[in-house]
Amino acid sequence: MFLPNNRKMHPSSFIERKNRFILRCQLTETKQEITVHLQDPGRLKELLIPNNTIYVSYHDQPHRKTKWTAEMITKPDSDMLISLRSTLPNQLMKHALQNKALSDFNHLDYKKQEFTYGGSRWDFLLQGENKPYLLEVKSVTLEKNRIGYFPDAPTKRGAKHVEELTSIREQDIYQTGILFVCQREDIKSVQPADWIDPAFAHVLHKAKEAGVDVRARSCKVALNGITLGEQIPVQI
């Protein structure tokens, strides 16, 4: 499954991160310094290195405080691209689920995106032969020695979602699942980052024990779009 990118990509050099969602970069072509919106709230310390190449897109919209958006970044000392758009995995998964492009989810029918149940909003509602299925998608960008780790920063909201999915699964009304989407091609397995957020690692382990599906997929990122990769193991 390939999700095209129709935005024009402008290469730039990273200068500094002013806060969680704002970067300062310099356009490669014009040398102009620009303020760039960053979707990904993770730490990204291994990627946001001075002079590393970031591809940005321009948006001339009146309501926007910043006209530029960070789209992807190169892995240091490499030309491999990593997506910085945290909403991209959900867009990719929507297309994949609707077109039954995921072999491990082909037995389920796509019903709805952003479905509210139990006081929380879930990424996808699917329908199985006997029960409906709630699926939550998590974006992975942190990599060490070809292992992807989540989360990149402590996430109370993420842990709460996992606990709720576990509770819903134990009620036996819905099936539930978590899908880690790695927005880079060099990851061969996924693990919880227990040194960053031990609470998340603990509730994820409990979720798997309770029967919550925990899966992961790799992706290949290019300037013209992102391609869904193979299923990879989650080690908990």
Side-chain angles (χ1 to χ4, degrees):
M1 173 60 65
F2 173 72
L3 185 66
N5 176 24
N6 298 319
R7 299 178 174 93
K8 182 179 179 181
M9 297 292 99
H10 301 266
S12 71
S13 296
F14 172 72
I15 299 174
E16 67 171 340
R17 187 175 192 170
K18 302 188 76 171
N19 58 48
R20 287 178 73 196
F21 299 105
I22 296 294
L23 308 178
R24 191 161 64 93
C25 300
Q26 183 182 58
L27 290 172
T28 303
E29 296 172 353
T30 64
K31 307 304 180 185
Q32 173 191 356
E33 288 193 9
I34 56 174
T35 301
V36 179
H37 172 65
L38 175 68
Q39 282 190 357
D40 193 326
R43 290 172 175 167
L44 304 172
K45 289 182 177 180
E46 78 288 353
L47 298 175
L48 294 177
I49 297 171
N51 299 317
N52 197 17
T53 300
I54 295 183
Y55 288 89
V56 298
S57 58
Y58 182 72
H59 306 263
D60 189 11
Q61 298 169 346
H63 68 278
R64 286 190 52 140
K65 294 181 179 180
T66 57
K67 301 296 184 184
W68 299 90
T69 295
E71 297 283 348
M72 54 196 79
I73 191 168
T74 55
K75 181 179 181 179
D77 303 317
S78 168
D79 58 0
M80 192 194 82
L81 293 171
I82 300 153
S83 170
L84 293 175
R85 287 176 54 202
S86 55
T87 59
L88 193 60
N90 285 54
Q91 296 174 30
L92 181 62
M93 286 307 109
K94 180 179 180 179
H95 285 274
L97 291 166
Q98 286 178 326
N99 291 280
K100 291 191 177 290
L102 296 165
S103 58
D104 40 328
F105 288 95
N106 278 353
H107 63 292
L108 299 167
D109 294 323
Y110 175 89
K111 289 297 180 182
K112 188 176 182 181
Q113 188 174 15
E114 296 187 351
F115 174 71
T116 300
Y117 177 80
S120 290
R121 188 170 60 185
W122 306 101
D123 289 329
F124 296 102
L125 171 66
L126 310 173
Q127 181 61 54
E129 191 171 311
N130 299 313
K131 296 176 184 175
Y133 189 111
L134 298 177
L135 178 64
E136 188 72 4
V137 176
K138 303 294 185 186
S139 170
V140 178
T141 55
L142 177 60
E143 175 269 341
K144 291 184 178 182
N145 300 318
R146 304 180 78 80
I147 299 172
Y149 290 96
F150 184 92
D152 181 23
T155 171
K156 289 183 179 180
R157 181 174 178 270
K160 176 177 176 287
H161 273 167
V162 174
E163 287 181 310
E164 288 182 23
L165 285 175
T166 304
S167 176
I168 293 169
R169 177 67 184 86
E170 289 174 338
Q171 293 169 26
D172 205 30
I173 300 171
Y174 285 78
Q175 292 179 291
T176 60
I178 301 164
L179 178 63
F180 294 101
V181 178
C182 304
Q183 297 205 73
R184 50 194 297 164
E185 63 182 277
D186 58 346
I187 290 175
K188 299 304 178 185
S189 66
V190 172
Q191 295 182 22
D194 52 7
W195 75 97
I196 293 175
D197 193 339
F200 181 88
H202 175 73
V203 297
L204 186 66
H205 179 76
K206 290 290 187 182
K208 188 169 184 180
E209 284 186 335
V212 177
D213 292 332
V214 183
R215 305 174 188 269
R217 285 268 176 173
S218 65
C219 292
K220 181 176 177 59
V221 180
L223 292 178
N224 66 338
I226 184 169
T227 302
L228 184 65
E230 62 185 0
Q231 184 176 347
I232 57 176
V234 181
Q235 300 171 347
I236 305 173

